[in-house]
Amino acid sequence: MQKFGTFLSGMIMPNIAAFIAWGLITAFFIETGWTPVAELGGFGTDENGEENTGLVGPMITYLLPLLIAIQGGRMVHGLRGGVVAAVATMGVIVGTDQPMFLGALVMGPLAGWVMKQLDRLWEGRVKPGFEMLVDNFSAGIVGAALAVLGFFSFAPVVSGISTVLGNGVDWLVDNGVLPLASIIIEPAKVLFLNNAINHGVLTPLGVSQSVEDGRSILFLLEANPGPGLGVLLAWMVFGTGMARSTAPAAAVIHFFGGIHEIYFPYVLMKPVLLLGAISGGMVGIATLTLFDAGLRAPAAPGSIIAVLAQTPSNAFLGVVLSVLLSAATSFLVCSVLLKASRKKDGDLAGATAAMEGMKGKKSSVADVLAGPAGERVGSAAAGGEAIEDAARTDRAPIQRIVFACDAGMGSSAMGASVLRNKIKKAGFPDVSVSNQAIANLTDDADLIVTHRDLTARARTMAPSAEHVSVDNFLNSPQYDAIVEEVRTTNRHDATSSN
């Protein structure tokens, strides 16, 4: 499920900036926008009496689906797959009268896969000098054929599926049961399916709904920062140990930075807190339903700043109340749950977290405590072996470190920034520290850092690299072990070469 969801969100996440741009253009320039401009908003007629096309309609009809399709094709078969995917998806787009995001999610990877299989058929069999001729004409023929097939066969099917899904959402809203979606969404978020749900499922449906109604509630089902904020506030007041001390910083990053992954470890420490997150999510969705509120476009990242930026002028009350009430509900429920369980692990949690913070050792109970040191995967599996491994001098120098997460943007970017600063302060500015999605990993990195739940997948993508798994991207003592390993191996290599 994670791999499939990551693939779906991987087609949309790199293009979120385009969605935001469309949302801002819509917010400002449509007829009911903040600063209406007929030529840009696509309403009224021009000096010749013809209807203004504007930017809003063409962007949602052509640009955004094509960007998704190109990304899907590239993920399967590189730039060549992306080009064929764009051509093939045009057939689906012009064959329907609605935004074809679902069609792009399917046709893009399919076109890339077809092109990939055909390229394998004549790989190594083309006479020298004819490579460009074969490559260009084969891609053109495949793209044209898939576009025609999509127009006549695929477009009606996808259009029907989109209609059914849209009607299903309308039924949930009309019957007042949409808040029950939190029972699925909130646990799935904590299991790192948040991007898959939001950008792989809700965003395509939400955009279609926004085109018709000017806003969509679906953009806030997963992106609402309220439930996570309530969890972190409860830890700030009633938590213990490292969890309580790190919760304020985590709350700021979560609420204003929009990186929701940062509160997941606080729920995983005590899974019972899912009840608070679910309750907050249900209250937030119910509030949005009551006020008929929603966003114009996706709020990505899920920051309160991004949420307010995409809120229509007539929906501010409902959106703000949904965030505040969901946070308050989550806080109250989680506070009760934390108070009821403090006696069970308060002192142990604080002592173990402090020990791991000072020594960088993995505790056997670290999975349920705050601020764990993380786990070394591979040559050093746990405990003090991570530090011992860092002290070895027979390892190759580390030049490229990659932080990888589901989408390659939120938590991995934050972790990369923290470690990058540590390595620069240690005197190794030439060591590259970057972040990217797991799906885009290649086997040319020296060391890869992931959340422990995602490390197994990362190892399949880059088996030659050294892998380090952590539980908390913001504050992991394992970073100090990595810095020490860089110091040891790189200086040893420099000494040996001299």
Side-chain angles (χ1 to χ4, degrees):
M1 288 180 63
Q2 270 190 342
K3 293 175 74 173
F4 179 70
T6 298
F7 188 86
L8 288 179
S9 62
M11 284 187 275
I12 294 182
M13 283 293 287
N15 298 308
I16 283 296
F19 281 87
I20 293 175
W22 171 78
L24 293 175
I25 290 172
T26 303
F28 278 98
F29 302 128
I30 63 173
E31 193 170 6
T32 58
W34 299 327
T35 57
V37 177
E39 293 81 3
L40 297 176
F43 61 91
T45 58
D46 59 18
E47 57 184 13
N48 297 321
E50 297 180 358
E51 292 186 1
N52 288 314
T53 303
L55 286 174
V56 177
M59 287 182 70
I60 198 68
T61 302
Y62 301 106
L63 176 63
L64 298 182
L66 287 176
L67 286 174
I68 293 172
I70 291 171
Q71 180 64 17
R74 290 185 64 178
M75 291 169 66
V76 176
H77 194 40
L79 182 59
R80 184 171 168 80
V83 173
V84 176
V87 177
T89 304
M90 274 300 296
V92 183
I93 292 174
V94 300
T96 61
D97 57 355
Q98 56 184 286
M100 264 295 99
F101 292 97
L102 181 58
L105 287 170
V106 177
M107 183 58 82
L110 176 62
W113 180 84
V114 171
M115 193 68 253
K116 183 177 183 178
Q117 302 309 310
L118 290 176
D119 281 345
R120 286 179 175 176
L121 292 179
W122 47 73
E123 184 177 0
R125 300 178 182 178
V126 181
K127 297 294 183 180
F130 289 86
E131 295 88 354
M132 183 177 294
L133 179 68
V134 173
D135 286 348
N136 288 341
F137 269 85
S138 61
I141 292 171
V142 171
L146 289 175
V148 174
L149 179 64
F151 180 87
F152 287 107
S153 301
F154 200 65
V157 175
V158 176
S159 180
I161 295 174
S162 298
T163 301
V164 171
L165 293 176
N167 291 338
V169 173
D170 292 338
W171 182 87
L172 293 174
V173 174
D174 294 339
N175 290 273
V177 295
L178 189 60
L180 296 179
S182 292
I183 298 176
I184 298 176
I185 291 175
E186 296 302 329
K189 286 172 63 176
V190 175
L191 295 174
F192 291 89
L193 289 169
N194 54 315
N195 290 318
I197 290 174
N198 192 27
H199 300 301
V201 179
L202 298 178
T203 293
L205 294 175
V207 170
S208 299
Q209 194 176 70
S210 179
V211 171
E212 297 179 5
D213 304 330
R215 60 183 177 275
S216 175
I217 190 176
L218 300 181
F219 292 136
L220 269 179
L221 296 193
E222 187 276 339
N224 186 347
L229 178 63
V231 171
L232 294 172
L233 291 176
W235 274 106
M236 288 170 57
V237 179
F238 300 104
T240 56
M242 185 73 75
R244 181 173 185 172
S245 63
T246 58
V252 172
I253 294 173
H254 165 76
F255 194 64
F256 295 103
I259 302 177
H260 289 198
E261 291 95 332
I262 198 168
Y263 84 86
F264 298 169
Y266 294 84
V267 177
L268 292 172
M269 289 182 228
K270 290 181 179 291
V272 70
L273 297 184
L274 275 174
L275 296 177
I278 292 173
S279 300
M282 293 178 69
V283 169
I285 295 174
T287 304
L288 292 170
T289 304
L290 180 64
F291 284 86
D292 191 24
L295 304 184
R296 295 184 187 274
S303 159
I304 186 61
I305 299 172
V307 168
L308 295 178
Q310 298 293 2
T311 302
S313 57
N314 59 352
F316 272 102
L317 179 60
V319 169
V320 172
L321 283 178
S322 73
V323 175
L324 295 179
L325 293 179
S326 62
T329 303
S330 178
F331 170 75
L332 292 174
V333 175
C334 289
S335 296
V336 173
L337 296 173
L338 283 175
K339 288 183 66 176
S341 61
R342 286 185 74 177
K343 294 181 180 180
K344 296 180 181 179
D345 63 0
D347 295 337
L348 179 61
T352 305
M355 176 271 293
E356 291 181 332
M358 290 184 291
K359 297 185 177 181
K361 291 185 178 181
K362 177 72 175 177
S363 168
S364 60
V365 294
D367 291 344
V368 292
L369 298 178
E375 179 182 1
R376 172 76 53 154
V377 179
S379 59
E385 294 179 9
I387 303 301
E388 293 172 8
D389 185 70
R392 297 176 184 173
T393 60
D394 58 349
R395 301 186 61 87
I398 297 175
Q399 297 297 333
R400 183 167 181 253
I401 300 175
V402 176
F403 274 71
C405 69
D406 187 36
M409 294 183 178
S411 54
S412 60
M414 179 179 61
S417 178
V418 173
L419 182 59
R420 187 182 300 114
N421 291 334
K422 285 180 175 288
I423 288 180
K424 284 185 178 180
K425 289 180 180 179
F428 297 93
D430 57 327
V431 176
S432 168
V433 183
S434 59
N435 55 282
Q436 64 184 96
I438 285 183
N440 296 331
L441 283 177
T442 55
D443 200 15
D444 58 356
D446 300 311
L447 188 147
I448 296 175
V449 184
T450 54
H451 186 274
R452 61 186 178 84
D453 291 340
L454 304 175
T455 302
R457 286 171 50 202
R459 295 186 71 183
T460 63
M461 302 296 294
S464 300
E466 180 182 356
H467 289 263
V468 175
S469 60
V470 298
D471 292 300
N472 189 333
F473 275 112
L474 178 64
N475 182 28
S476 176
Q478 196 72 355
Y479 295 165
D480 294 330
I482 295 174
V483 172
E484 183 60 30
E485 182 169 354
V486 170
R487 180 181 290 112
T488 302
T489 58
N490 289 25
R491 284 183 175 172
H492 173 70
D493 180 70
T495 301
S496 299
S497 61
N498 290 333

